[in-house]
Amino acid sequence: MATQRYFRPWYFIFPGAMLGLITLGYPIVQAIYHSFHAVTMRRLGDGVFVGMDNFVQLFGDHLFLRSIMATISFTLGSTVLAVAFGLFIASVMSSQGIRGTALARFFMAFFLVPFVTTQVVTGILGRLYVWQSSYGLVNFLLETIGLERVRWLTSMDHAMTATVVTNGWRMAPLALLIFYAALATIPDEIVESAEVDGASFLTLWFRIKYPMIRFHLGFVSLIILTSAFREFDVIYGLTGGGPGRSTEVLSILVYRLGVTQGNMGMANAVSVTMLVIVSVITIAAVKIGKLGAMSE
């Protein structure tokens, strides 16, 4: 009976695990293999083994280092913006007097629109109607309050801001859903008792609500961070990596090296580097989470 109980969950896991190995495992193995070869798009099967030469050349290229910095800026900015905005909206909609009302349901549906819109559509719509310098929504709002127009997508100083805000807005609904569900589980009696005792808004948050949702906060941050780190569609739809490669993150660099230039060896070397970085971040986050749980 003990053996049967052990194997029973694997009956359900096995089909998904096999599908994952076929659709994800094989391409990852191929990417690692090609990263150690000088191989082109036209002759994928005739690559010459070059060892670590692709990685040595890659880390000696200032454009690659520049892409790493752009990726870090984009990832951290998107994560902070999405988590902060999602947490704020979830706090408002889960507050007493608003939670469960028709108004809360309406705004929940309204804020979910960016998340159900495909990334490339989000990027294109942002380029055409939101950040466009002549008639875009953002510049219209700036002019309404008496400020000058900004060349968001054609200026190296502002293009990254536009991509960060767009992707943060797109990912915020994920944070909103999870935070709203977490805050809704906090008993009203605890909050009311704290308010009766004279707890301020900040005390209420950091002494009562935050300890109850901190693991949700870590989980959401990790999901959004890893998603933003490999984001391609939103950035490509908005700026294509420009202007002047100011928004050329690592995923855009992979596309340029592999598809545009046909240098699959270097493109796969960048991909493997991204895989290693994301794996290290994920493992570190899981370890930190376990340490936090053990310290309670």
Side-chain angles (χ1 to χ4, degrees):
M1 293 296 294
T3 304
Q4 185 177 2
R5 286 197 301 268
Y6 174 79
F7 283 106
R8 184 181 296 275
W10 289 100
Y11 297 153
F12 303 96
I13 297 174
F14 182 76
M18 291 303 299
L19 182 62
L21 288 175
I22 295 172
T23 58
L24 295 176
Y26 180 74
I28 290 174
V29 172
Q30 285 292 305
I32 296 173
Y33 173 81
H34 288 306
S35 68
F36 295 103
H37 290 75
V39 58
T40 63
M41 176 73 79
R42 295 182 179 180
R43 306 181 63 181
L44 289 175
D46 299 330
V48 178
F49 180 76
V50 294
M52 297 295 294
D53 287 355
N54 286 335
F55 294 94
V56 172
Q57 182 180 348
L58 196 63
F59 281 91
D61 187 355
H62 74 282
L63 293 178
F64 171 72
L65 301 179
R66 183 176 177 178
S67 293
I68 289 181
M69 297 305 299
T71 304
I72 293 174
S73 300
F74 175 80
T75 302
L76 294 180
S78 298
T79 304
V80 171
L81 184 62
V83 171
F85 184 72
L87 185 59
F88 172 74
I89 299 299
S91 301
V92 173
M93 291 200 301
S94 64
S95 60
Q96 294 180 357
I98 298 179
R99 184 176 60 195
T101 63
L103 181 64
R105 291 192 293 269
F106 169 78
F107 277 105
M108 178 69 75
F110 176 77
F111 286 118
L112 286 180
V113 171
F115 194 63
V116 298
T117 305
T118 57
Q119 294 99 310
V120 67
V121 171
T122 300
I124 293 174
L125 290 178
R127 172 166 53 86
L128 294 178
Y129 299 108
V130 179
W131 303 103
Q132 212 278 341
S133 57
S134 299
Y135 52 82
L137 176 62
V138 175
N139 278 340
F140 171 77
L141 295 176
L142 290 178
E143 288 185 326
T144 301
I145 61 176
L147 300 177
E148 296 182 356
R149 295 180 178 180
V150 177
R151 296 168 54 246
W152 292 104
L153 302 181
T154 57
S155 170
M156 295 180 63
D157 297 327
H158 300 102
M160 181 59 74
T161 301
T163 59
V164 166
V165 172
T166 302
N167 195 62
W169 169 77
R170 186 185 70 84
M171 294 301 297
L174 174 63
L176 168 61
L177 283 174
I178 297 177
F179 290 148
Y180 179 79
L183 291 170
T185 61
I186 299 177
D188 293 336
E189 293 79 7
I190 297 178
V191 177
E192 292 172 356
S193 298
E195 291 176 345
V196 170
D197 292 338
S200 64
F201 175 79
L202 293 178
T203 302
L204 190 64
W205 250 106
F206 289 101
R207 293 296 182 89
I208 296 178
K209 293 185 177 182
Y210 170 73
M212 293 185 176
I213 68 167
R214 63 191 185 95
F215 289 108
H216 302 82
L217 183 63
F219 171 75
V220 171
S221 299
L222 179 62
I223 294 298
I224 295 178
L225 187 143
T226 54
S227 176
F229 186 84
R230 54 185 174 82
E231 182 58 51
F232 173 84
D233 296 345
V234 171
I235 304 173
Y236 194 78
L238 271 174
T239 65
R245 294 181 173 176
S246 59
T247 60
E248 187 180 72
V249 295
L250 290 175
S251 58
I252 301 290
L253 180 62
V254 171
Y255 176 83
R256 181 172 64 81
L257 290 173
V259 178
T260 305
Q261 300 180 6
N263 191 344
M264 295 301 295
M266 292 293 291
N268 281 286
V270 178
S271 299
V272 171
T273 303
M274 293 177 64
L275 175 63
V276 171
I277 294 174
V278 170
S279 300
V280 170
I281 293 174
T282 303
I283 293 172
V286 172
K287 293 293 185 181
I288 292 173
K290 287 183 177 180
L291 291 176
M294 292 173 60
S295 63
E296 292 184 342

